[in-house]
Amino acid sequence: ADIEIIDLARSAQTFLGLQQLLEPALTLEPDAYILFAGNNWHIPQLELMNFEQLTATFQKTEKWGSVRAFVKETVRSQVREFAQRLGAFSAENQIPVLFIIPDFNLRDWKAEYTWQNPLATDALIQRRLDLITEAEAALTVDNLQRAMMLAEELIELEDGLHPAGFDILAKCKLREGNVCEARRLKEDAKDLSLVYPGLQAPSCYSIIQNTLREEGPRNGITIVDLPQRFAEYLPQGLPDRRFFFDHVHMTVAGLRLAAASAVEKLLPILGRSERSWAELNQFEFH
């Protein structure tokens, strides 16, 4: 009865919108902030992208991989600066901040094979299509060894810039029971949309998740790592529709697990008795 939770969540909250909400919320005299964000960031501040430098890098290398590397470094830098600003805000106002890193419905997400490296030639595209057909045929008859060999060839064919190889290899790893490797490969496939703006959908890219994991603690921010929690909660599988309605919007079961993971870290901050996320996750809501 002595705890009040005020929900300031906004649908499709932007990177800048989140930051602009922090200072006005001080009026509410909070004892802690809980931030759950990242699915709508993509390139968080596209207007700050140095397109002249990006163009020069591309002209020098003539490889789309250099574009991807440049964009990833831009995202890393922007998220790092955000973590530093958030940490300074927390310290200045003596208000602890918890940041929940989102996870994704990796089990039900399907890679879009029509994605296209802008530099792909007709011959390369035809070779890709042939390899996909052969790999899928091998999967159909459970010839995992051949399917994995063809998937590796697909990845090598385009320097890891097309999702098909990662996706097929992830399917093989799942059939082998290697869930950890399947998760990594699924994330690699999903993350390619970072450099194909027309294909971007809500998702928290690995580059954003990893930067928050690294920079959050350095700046006094408590991280609630949902991908790590789901990996712990589902050691034999990937997040699926039990926890997500679609790719990112969570069911009651998903929200309860996220809340339990956050409250586990929040209780000691508020001077309360510690309780594990596993215990908290047993509470039923109607």
Side-chain angles (χ1 to χ4, degrees):
D2 59 340
I3 293 179
E4 182 179 30
I5 299 170
I6 301 176
D7 183 4
L8 300 180
R10 298 180 181 182
S11 181
Q13 177 69 283
T14 64
F15 184 71
L16 283 178
L18 175 66
Q19 296 177 69
Q20 292 166 353
L21 191 59
L22 293 172
E23 190 165 344
L26 290 172
T27 306
L28 300 170
E29 301 180 359
D31 294 308
Y33 281 97
I34 301 177
L35 308 184
F36 191 1
N39 283 324
N40 297 304
W41 288 5
H42 304 304
I43 300 172
Q45 291 181 268
L46 184 60
E47 68 277 9
L48 299 182
M49 174 79 77
N50 188 332
F51 284 98
E52 289 185 1
Q53 188 177 347
L54 173 58
T55 302
T57 300
F58 176 59
Q59 289 176 330
K60 182 178 179 181
T61 64
E62 296 184 344
K63 291 184 178 295
W64 194 247
S66 66
V67 174
R68 183 187 182 200
F70 187 94
V71 171
K72 286 180 69 174
E73 187 51 43
T74 297
V75 172
R76 188 197 316 275
S77 176
Q78 291 182 358
V79 176
R80 182 189 301 123
E81 290 173 5
F82 163 73
Q84 292 169 351
R85 290 194 296 272
L86 186 59
F89 174 86
S90 174
E92 179 184 351
N93 294 285
Q94 296 186 317
I95 301 174
V97 173
L98 282 77
F99 196 106
I100 305 175
I101 299 176
D103 203 2
F104 188 80
N105 181 354
L106 289 168
R107 167 64 78 174
D108 297 298
W109 175 76
K110 299 185 186 303
E112 181 53 75
Y113 287 5
T114 58
W115 290 5
Q116 198 65 273
N117 177 346
L119 304 182
T121 62
D122 289 346
L124 186 149
I125 293 171
Q126 188 58 57
R127 180 59 181 154
R128 178 207 303 152
L129 293 173
D130 291 343
L131 286 170
I132 290 173
T133 299
E134 292 179 48
E136 289 180 336
L139 270 176
T140 301
V141 296
D142 268 337
N143 188 344
L144 297 186
Q145 185 175 358
R146 176 160 176 75
M148 286 192 284
M149 180 189 73
L150 293 166
E152 295 281 7
E153 190 173 344
L154 271 166
I155 294 170
E156 185 177 350
L157 178 68
E158 297 186 70
D159 298 324
L161 293 172
H162 191 276
F166 296 110
D167 187 50
I168 292 169
L169 197 53
K171 291 176 182 176
C172 294
K173 296 298 181 182
L174 277 177
R175 292 191 190 184
E176 287 185 333
N178 190 341
V179 176
C180 183
E181 184 64 6
R183 170 183 271 275
R184 184 188 69 79
L185 290 161
K186 280 266 197 178
E187 288 174 344
D188 284 345
K190 173 180 69 69
D191 287 349
L192 285 173
S193 66
L194 180 63
V195 287
Y196 297 103
L199 296 170
Q200 288 175 349
S203 165
C204 190
Y205 296 106
S206 297
I207 187 66
I208 293 175
Q209 293 174 338
N210 290 333
T211 304
L212 288 169
R213 289 180 181 115
E214 295 164 6
E215 298 297 328
R218 290 178 187 170
N219 291 279
I221 301 166
T222 300
I223 294 296
V224 180
D225 194 334
L226 279 194
Q228 182 181 9
R229 174 65 70 237
F230 271 108
E232 184 178 0
Y233 189 69
L234 300 169
Q236 304 302 320
L238 297 174
D240 55 26
R241 289 197 183 277
R242 288 173 293 171
F243 305 97
F244 294 90
F245 287 113
D246 46 25
H247 294 150
V248 295
H249 297 98
M250 304 179 83
T251 63
V252 170
L255 288 170
R256 179 172 55 222
L257 183 59
S261 301
V263 171
E264 177 187 51
K265 301 213 172 186
L266 184 62
L267 287 175
I269 290 174
L270 297 179
R272 304 289 174 135
S273 300
E274 295 187 19
R275 303 181 75 171
S276 73
W277 66 267
E279 179 188 2
L280 293 164
N281 196 49
Q282 300 303 311
F283 282 101
E284 292 292 340
F285 299 93
H286 302 283

